[in-house]
Amino acid sequence: MPKVLIVTGDAAEDLEVMYPYQRLLEEGYDVHIAAPTKKKLQFVVHDFVDGFDTYTEKPGHTWPADIAFADVDPADYAALVLPGGRAPEYIRGDADCRRIVRHFAEAAKPIAALCHGPLVLAAAGVLASRSSSAYPALAPDIEAVGGSFVDSEAHIDGSIVTGRAWPDHPAWMREFLKVLRVAAPVD
């Protein structure tokens, strides 16, 4: 059974971790969650409120990380998922996290990144001359590393599938699964 790695941390968007986690399990993939350390993670729930210029945040579910970034051998995994939330803001600074992401990009293995997840792609140096969707406020971050921002619920650039936020889950995961099923079919 092919393995998929979700790279995240505390304050990840609850829905953006749990939806792909459960959807990939449903498809028959073995899914592992990696974080800076192997511990119980605290996710958050972001919501959009009329009249607010940005989203609100509340505590979400807790969930255990299966493995620490330093212990990940990315060669063991067929694909990578980078959820959003606030976790990407700090995990992008982790050298092992960037090592993992570069492995997937250089090997052209499927990568799904949503919302603030492309911040990790940018920090790993894999967005130069590529296009990516993301939470729209991240357009300057993507362009600052030589990428092109695309406002799309499911944007595909080679083996990388990106989207804006959890409302894009159906389109984003549908396109990612098309790429994943070709690269790593489940027997």
Side-chain angles (χ1 to χ4, degrees):
M1 162 182 324
K3 294 194 293 187
V4 177
L5 186 66
I6 297 177
V7 170
T8 194
D10 286 321
E13 164 54 52
D14 197 302
L15 288 171
E16 293 176 12
V17 176
M18 297 313 296
Y19 178 78
Y21 178 79
Q22 293 176 330
R23 185 68 186 92
L24 291 163
L25 288 174
E26 180 182 48
E27 286 288 319
Y29 291 93
D30 183 12
V31 185
H32 297 169
I33 295 178
T37 60
K38 184 177 175 180
K39 68 171 200 160
K40 185 181 278 189
L41 299 170
Q42 175 65 61
F43 300 144
V44 297
V45 175
H46 291 133
D47 204 357
F48 304 98
V49 177
D50 290 341
F52 272 58
D53 291 330
T54 189
Y55 49 83
T56 62
E57 181 177 283
K58 297 176 179 81
H61 293 95
T62 59
W63 199 262
D66 299 302
I67 189 168
F69 293 157
D71 298 326
V72 170
D73 180 353
D76 292 342
Y77 296 90
L80 176 68
V81 177
L82 297 165
R86 284 188 295 114
E89 295 172 10
Y90 71 90
I91 66 170
R92 65 183 169 170
D94 186 290
D96 283 306
C97 179
R98 293 190 308 271
R99 169 187 59 85
I100 292 164
V101 172
R102 281 192 296 272
H103 167 85
F104 285 91
E106 290 166 3
K109 292 181 180 180
I111 298 173
L114 190 68
C115 196
H116 285 68
L119 286 175
V120 183
L121 296 174
V126 302
L127 283 185
S129 302
R130 296 193 86 142
S131 54
S132 175
S133 187
Y135 189 67
L138 271 60
D141 298 275
I142 291 168
E143 293 164 356
V145 297
S148 300
F149 174 75
V150 178
D151 187 2
S152 171
E153 64 183 359
H155 179 71
I156 303 168
D157 184 328
S159 60
I160 301 176
V161 181
T162 53
R164 296 171 297 205
W166 58 262
D168 294 341
H169 276 159
W172 173 69
M173 190 54 56
R174 185 173 31 254
E175 294 306 317
F176 178 63
L177 284 169
K178 288 178 188 175
V179 173
L180 180 56
R181 287 179 187 131
V182 170
V186 175
D187 295 333

